[in-house]
Amino acid sequence: MTERAVATSTPRTANRWQVGRLVERRVETPTAQTLVLEVPDWPGHLPGQHVDLRLTAPDGYQAARSYSVAGPVVDGPGGPRIEVTVQRVHDGEVSPYLIDVFGDGDPVEVRGPLGGWFIWRPEETAPVQLVAGGSGIVPLMAMIRARRATGSKAPFRLIYSVRTPRDVIYADELRRRIRDDFGLDIAYVYTREAPEGWRGEPHRIGLADVNTHGWPPDLQPLTYVCGPTGFVETVADLLVGLGHPSRRVKTERFGPTG
């Protein structure tokens, strides 16, 4: 996903770089792919956390970016596996390489897991509302997948804002989860082009969307908002204006660094 410039410091327990290798890739949209990395010494992570990936050129030049982990860790024949979903960034350094050049078995340095604020713990029982803009769906999808994997009964509502139906990351899986994951509701907002039969006109997310498809504040839901900075600020302001306490509205922003 979410690709950010790497912070200059990280928690000591997650500061060690180790080598991961690509074992699988899945095309999600014309501009996004999921990479499955085998990381033998992976210590585990919580949904919402992210990792740093670092590439080194033959001349020694290094470039690193952060990506949200897209789901729970999975055991593979060579060790634990994690997934990151990469959105191509125009004129980026890292994302075009990971999408176009990075091949099966190729190494990449991995550091993590990182982040302790924007996380959901499966033992939580409060209702959860997730609001995603574009590739901001990635850490929220990790929460949806963890909910199913752990058997959590916490009710989830997802509002997913995308430009067009072609830009929906995890489209097939989300359709299956609407059908199979009891207690999960999903609503879409299309900003440029809506699918045939969709009610309403394309528009940016607004008060009616959040009020209609989110949880009311009196239920005291946990809220996670992820996407571009302007999107996140708009949604957070709408939620607080509706009466949601700001301490229960967790946000994560990302920019175009690639």
Side-chain angles (χ1 to χ4, degrees), residues 141-163:
M141 192 65 175
M143 299 175 191
I144 291 172
R145 289 168 169 168
R147 174 184 183 269
R148 177 61 181 266
T150 60
S152 168
K153 303 301 183 184
F156 271 40
R157 288 185 176 179
L158 167 66
I159 306 173
Y160 189 6
S161 175
V162 291
R163 294 177 178 178

Side-chain angles (χ1 to χ4, degrees), residues 37-209:
L37 304 175
E38 194 165 76
V39 187
D41 294 327
W42 186 249
H45 61 274
L46 292 170
Q49 290 188 298
H50 61 275
V51 296
D52 292 343
L53 300 185
R54 184 169 69 182
L55 302 171
T56 302
D59 64 1
Y61 174 77
Q62 293 184 321
R65 298 290 183 269
S66 290
Y67 293 92
S68 296
V69 185
V73 64
V74 176
D75 289 331
R81 295 180 175 186
I82 62 171
E83 297 185 7
V84 296
T85 300
V86 179
Q87 178 101 49
R88 181 192 298 277
V89 176
H90 181 64
D91 293 333
E93 282 188 309
V94 176
S95 60
Y97 178 89
L98 292 176
I99 289 177
D100 297 330
V101 182
F102 194 46
D104 287 350
D106 284 353
V108 62
E109 289 183 279
V110 182
R111 178 170 62 181
L114 304 171
W117 163 250
F118 195 81
I119 59 172
W120 176 72
R121 299 180 183 275
E123 60 267 26
E124 294 278 1
T125 59
V128 174
Q129 57 185 359
L130 311 171
V131 189
S135 59
I137 185 64
V138 179
L140 309 186
M141 192 65 175
M143 299 175 191
I144 291 172
R145 289 168 169 168
R147 174 184 183 269
R148 177 61 181 266
T150 60
S152 168
K153 303 301 183 184
F156 271 40
R157 288 185 176 179
L158 167 66
I159 306 173
Y160 189 6
S161 175
V162 291
R163 294 177 178 178
T164 76
R166 296 181 296 278
D167 297 307
V168 177
I169 300 174
Y170 316 125
D172 290 342
E173 182 178 351
L174 288 171
R175 280 192 289 268
R176 293 196 305 270
R177 289 188 178 279
I178 292 174
R179 180 193 66 206
D180 299 337
D181 287 16
F182 180 76
L184 170 65
D185 295 315
I186 301 175
Y188 292 93
V189 176
Y190 299 96
T191 63
R192 295 190 181 178
E193 176 189 327
E196 185 176 353
W198 190 66
R199 306 178 90 182
E201 296 294 325
H203 63 277
R204 293 187 180 277
I205 195 167
L207 179 63
D209 302 299

Side-chain angles (χ1 to χ4, degrees), residues 1 131-136 225-232 252-255:
M1 156 209 172
V131 189
S135 59
V225 186
C226 187
T229 297
F231 172 88
V232 170
E252 181 151 289
R253 303 164 174 81
F254 62 87

